[in-house]
Amino acid sequence: FRIDFAIALDLPAAVLATVMSLATTCTLKWNRGESADDSSGRLMYVAASLLLSSSLAIVMSTNVGELFVFWQIASVAAYLMMSSGIEAAPQAAAAKKLMLVQRVAEFWLICAIFALAIGYQTYDYDEFFAYLQVHGARQHFALVHFIGLCLLGTCAARCALIPFLGWPESLVAGPAVNAALIEGVCLMPAGALLLVRFLPVLQTARATAAFAILLGGTSAFFAAICAWAESDGRRQAGFACASVFGLIVMGLALGTPAANGWAVVLTATFVPTSAAILGWFADRSRLANGAERGAPAVAAAIVLLFCGICGQGGILGAGLIGFAQGITPGRGSLLLSLGFAAAAAYFAAYAMTRAILANRFASGLGVRISYFG
C-alpha cells in the first residue's frame, strides 16, 4: 500500500479551509491578551498553528491514510494547547479527558482503515468511491456497513455525540482560546468533515445512515437540554455549540443533495459563529464594552447567525421532504429525529438568549456598582 500526500481542493474544502483559517487568525488576535509572553504562551501559539495546519490537511486529504496521520497530529496539538496553560487540577483532568476521547476516536478510525485495506485493497477515496458506484453494497455488504459504523463512531467521539456528550464541558476549565479553537474552529469540525469526505459510504450503507440520523437528532436534543439546564454562560455556550454537530451529522446522513449542501453551509457558518460566541462569553470586559465594536461587527454577527438558522432550517426541510417522498432511510427513526432536532434548535436558541441577557445584566450591574463605589 502507498500513501500519497496530495491535496483535493474542491469547493467545499476550499470554503471550509478559508473559513477555518480566518476564524483561527481572528480568535488568536482577539484572545492575545490571555496568553503570557513566556514559554507556555509561545507553546500555545505553536500548538494552535499546528492544530490549524493539521485540520486543513484533514479537510483537503485525498486518502484515508493521509487523513489518519494528520488526525494524530491534530490530537497532539490540541493536547499541547490545553497543557500549555495548566494551573489547576481541573485543567489537567480536562486535558486527560480530551486525550482519552481522542484515543477512542482514533481506534474507530484505524478499524475503518484496516477494513478498507483488507476488503478493497486501497486507501484512496476516489478508487473506493468508484468501486461503490459500480457495485454498491451488493458486494462486501457487511464490510461497507462496518466501515460506516466505524466512521460514525469516530465522528461521535470527536464531535461530542452520544455517548461522548459531556467532554466539551471540560474545556470551560481552561482559557477561552482553547475552547474556541478546539470546539469551534479546528478539532470538532474535523470530525464532521470526516463524514463529508465519506458521504458515498453513508449513502451506500442505508442501515448505518438511518442510525446516524437517529444519533444526530438525539445528540443535538440532549446537548441542547444540557445547555438549557446550565447556569454558567460558558457551559451554556459550549453545549449549545456542540448541539449543532448533531444537526450536521443528521444532514449528512439524510442522503439528499439539498441536505448535504445545507450541512456543509451549516458547518461553514458554525466555525466563525461558535468561535465568536465561545470567546465572547469568556471575557466580562468585552461584555461590558460590547457597544464599542461598531456596526460592522454587529452586522457580520447578524449575517452569520442568519446563515446558521437557514442551515438548520434547510436540513429540517430536506428531512421532511425526504420523509414525504420516501427516499430517506429509516422513516420511523427519521420522523423521531426531526422532532428531536427541531426541539434542539429551540432549546439551544433559548439557552443562548438567556445566557446573553444574563451576562449583559451582570456586566452592566458590575459597572454600575464599581462606578458608585
Side-chain angles (χ1 to χ4, degrees):
F1 294 98
R2 185 181 69 251
I3 299 177
D4 296 324
F5 288 87
I7 293 177
L9 196 61
D10 50 3
L11 181 60
V15 171
L16 293 171
T18 303
V19 170
M20 293 168 70
S21 301
L22 292 177
T24 301
T25 303
C26 294
T27 301
L28 292 176
K29 183 178 180 181
W30 182 261
N31 296 278
R32 63 184 183 273
E34 290 189 0
S35 300
D37 190 14
D38 55 8
S39 58
S40 63
R42 290 189 290 272
L43 177 61
M44 194 278 295
Y45 278 102
V46 171
S49 302
L50 191 61
L51 179 62
L52 174 62
S53 60
S54 56
S55 299
L56 294 180
I58 291 173
V59 173
M60 297 181 289
S61 61
T62 60
N63 59 80
V64 70
E66 178 185 0
L67 184 145
F68 181 76
V69 171
F70 288 106
W71 189 284
Q72 292 273 10
I73 296 174
S75 300
V76 173
Y79 178 75
L80 290 177
M81 278 187 59
M82 295 192 68
S83 62
S84 62
I86 287 180
E87 298 177 355
Q91 298 179 10
K96 293 177 181 178
K97 189 174 183 179
L98 172 67
M99 289 301 292
L100 178 61
V101 173
Q102 296 311 307
R103 297 290 79 77
V104 174
E106 288 159 6
F107 170 76
W108 287 111
L109 181 58
I110 201 168
C111 287
I113 291 174
F114 281 136
L116 191 64
I118 294 172
Y120 297 95
Q121 302 296 312
T122 184
Y123 289 143
D124 191 80
Y125 297 145
D126 293 335
E127 295 179 3
F128 178 48
F129 298 156
Y131 185 90
L132 290 180
Q133 187 175 5
V134 174
H135 300 283
R138 295 190 303 272
Q139 298 183 8
H140 305 294
F141 177 84
L143 193 60
V144 172
H145 284 78
F146 177 75
I147 293 173
L149 287 174
C150 289
L151 295 173
L152 186 60
T154 304
C155 179
R158 177 154 284 193
C159 293
L161 305 181
I162 295 174
F164 307 98
L165 201 61
W167 77 261
E169 184 183 8
S170 60
L171 295 175
V172 179
V177 65
N178 291 346
L181 292 180
I182 291 175
E183 180 175 356
V185 180
C186 294
L187 196 68
M188 290 177 67
L193 297 177
L194 175 70
L195 293 186
V196 173
R197 279 294 172 206
F198 281 93
L199 270 180
V201 178
L202 287 180
Q203 295 173 357
T204 304
R206 295 181 64 85
T208 302
F211 179 68
I213 292 172
L214 183 61
L215 180 65
T218 53
S219 299
F221 175 75
F222 285 110
I225 289 296
C226 291
W228 175 71
E230 285 287 347
S231 58
D232 181 74
R234 288 189 66 183
R235 286 188 171 89
Q236 287 176 329
F239 279 118
C241 292
S243 69
V244 178
F245 285 106
L247 288 170
I248 293 173
V249 171
M250 189 177 71
L252 294 174
L254 286 174
T256 61
N260 297 338
W262 280 116
V264 174
V265 169
L266 184 57
T267 305
T269 54
F270 169 83
V271 170
T273 306
S274 60
I277 288 174
L278 293 171
W280 190 71
F281 273 95
D283 196 335
R284 298 276 180 170
S285 63
R286 294 190 185 114
L287 294 175
N289 300 320
E292 298 179 0
R293 295 181 199 142
V298 176
I302 292 174
V303 170
L304 288 173
L305 288 174
F306 178 76
C307 293
I309 293 172
C310 289
Q312 296 180 16
I315 290 174
L316 293 175
L320 289 175
I321 294 174
F323 176 80
Q325 296 179 352
I327 59 177
T328 303
R331 288 174 58 85
S333 62
L334 172 62
L335 189 60
L336 180 63
S337 301
L338 290 175
F340 275 134
Y346 169 77
F347 280 111
Y350 177 80
M352 291 305 303
T353 304
R354 186 181 64 180
I356 290 172
L357 293 177
N359 279 281
R360 291 293 295 175
F361 176 76
S363 301
L365 182 63
V367 170
R368 293 187 184 95
I369 291 174
S370 62
Y371 175 77
F372 288 108

